Amino acid sequence: MRLTPTERDRLLIFTAAELARARRRRGVKLNVPEATALIADTVCEAARDGRRLAEAIEAGRGVLDADDVLPGVPDVVTTLQVEAVFEDGTRLCVIDDPFGQHGALGPDAPGAVLPGDGKGYDRAGPTLRLPVHNTATVPISVSSHFHFFEANPRLAFDRTAAYGARLAVPAGSTVRFDPGRTVLVELLPIGGARVAIGFAGLVDGPLDAPGARQAALAKARATGYLTAYQEQDQDQEQA
C-alpha cells in the first residue's frame, strides 16, 4: 500500500494516541508525546466525523486535563497545531490551552511565551499574485503555511511559479476556494531552511536542491495535478 508522507504521519499520530488511551485506562499519567498525540488524534477524528473547525478544536481541548498528565506537561504543551481533513478540505487546527485553563503559564515556567515588540520581523521575500481556479465540485481550503505548489490537484494555477511559496496570510488562517470560482491569491517564499517534508509528497526534501523543482513538477503532472491556469468567464475574487 502506497502512503503519502502526510498519511504516514497521520498513522503515527493514531498509533501513539492508541498507546496513550491504553495507558490512560490503566491510570497511568501521560507524558508530552502521549498527550500531544491523543489531543491531535481527537481533533482529526472529530473532523472526519463531519464536525466543524471550532467543534473539532473544542473536542481536542476537552479530552484531557491537568490531572491526566505528568506534572509539568501543561506548562510545556501550551499550544498544539495539527492539520485535519474536513468536509471542505484540509485545515490547520490551533488548540490553545489544550488542558482547559489547567496549564496556565507563569513568566518563569518552562516553555513560557515571552512576546517581543515585533521589531526586526520581515517577510521572507517579495510576494507573487496568482489566479487560482477551483475545478472541483466541493470547496477547497488551503492553510497559511502549506506549500502551495502541492495544494489540491483540482486547483488550476501556475504551479511552476508557486513552487517554494506559501499563502501570504496570517499564520493559522486559510483561504477558501469555492467550486467553480477563481481567487486571486498572494504568495511569498517559504523561509527558514526551505525544506518541504510531507504535504502531498511531491518534494519531500530541500526546495532548492538541484533538479528538485523539475522533479516535483514532473511528479505532479504524472499524478494528475492541474499545473496551469485557464481563463474563466466569471469575475475573479480577491483573497
Side-chain angles (χ1 to χ4, degrees):
M1 180 172 62
R2 181 183 179 277
L3 298 174
T4 67
T6 299
E7 290 166 338
R8 291 198 297 268
D9 289 344
R10 179 68 189 95
L11 287 175
L12 180 61
I13 290 172
F14 172 77
T15 302
E18 284 294 282
L19 176 62
R21 291 186 183 99
R23 290 180 173 173
R24 188 184 181 194
R25 284 194 295 269
R26 300 201 312 266
V28 177
K29 291 184 179 292
L30 305 183
N31 58 23
V32 169
E34 293 162 352
T36 300
L38 182 52
I39 294 169
D41 184 69
T42 300
V43 172
C44 290
E45 289 304 299
R48 291 287 284 139
D49 288 341
R51 298 169 75 174
R52 301 177 68 85
L53 176 63
E55 296 171 333
I57 290 173
E58 283 306 309
R61 187 176 287 125
V63 70
L64 293 174
D65 60 34
D67 294 332
D68 297 313
V69 297
L70 291 169
V73 171
D75 294 327
V76 175
V77 186
T78 58
T79 300
L80 193 152
Q81 298 184 16
V82 61
E83 286 193 339
V85 180
F86 293 83
E87 291 181 344
D88 60 349
T90 300
R91 294 192 180 186
L92 180 66
C93 302
V94 181
I95 305 96
D96 295 317
D97 190 19
F99 302 98
Q101 302 298 325
H102 292 279
L105 281 177
D108 299 322
V113 177
L114 302 177
D117 57 11
K119 291 181 179 178
Y121 172 78
D122 294 307
R123 283 185 165 182
T127 58
L128 169 71
R129 302 180 77 187
L130 287 178
V132 180
H133 180 68
N134 181 7
T135 68
T137 58
V138 296
I140 295 171
S141 293
V142 181
S143 57
S144 58
H145 282 63
F146 197 91
H147 182 206
F148 201 75
F149 173 88
E150 301 183 65
N152 194 291
R154 295 299 92 199
L155 292 178
F157 62 94
D158 184 351
R159 291 190 188 258
T160 302
Y163 183 85
R166 65 173 181 86
L167 288 166
V169 296
S173 61
T174 62
V175 173
R176 177 185 171 104
F177 302 88
D178 288 319
R181 302 296 300 177
T182 295
V183 177
L184 189 61
V185 302
E186 190 174 11
L187 305 177
L188 56 82
I190 293 173
R194 288 182 56 79
V195 175
I197 299 294
F199 301 111
L202 298 181
V203 180
D204 259 352
L207 288 162
D208 302 321
R213 182 195 297 259
Q214 293 80 2
L217 188 60
K219 187 182 292 185
R221 287 172 174 154
T223 52
Y225 279 71
L226 299 176
T227 58
Y229 173 77
Q230 286 116 18
E231 289 291 336
Q232 307 297 326
D233 293 334
Q234 67 268 20
D235 294 334
Q236 291 181 355
E237 300 174 4
Q238 182 80 39

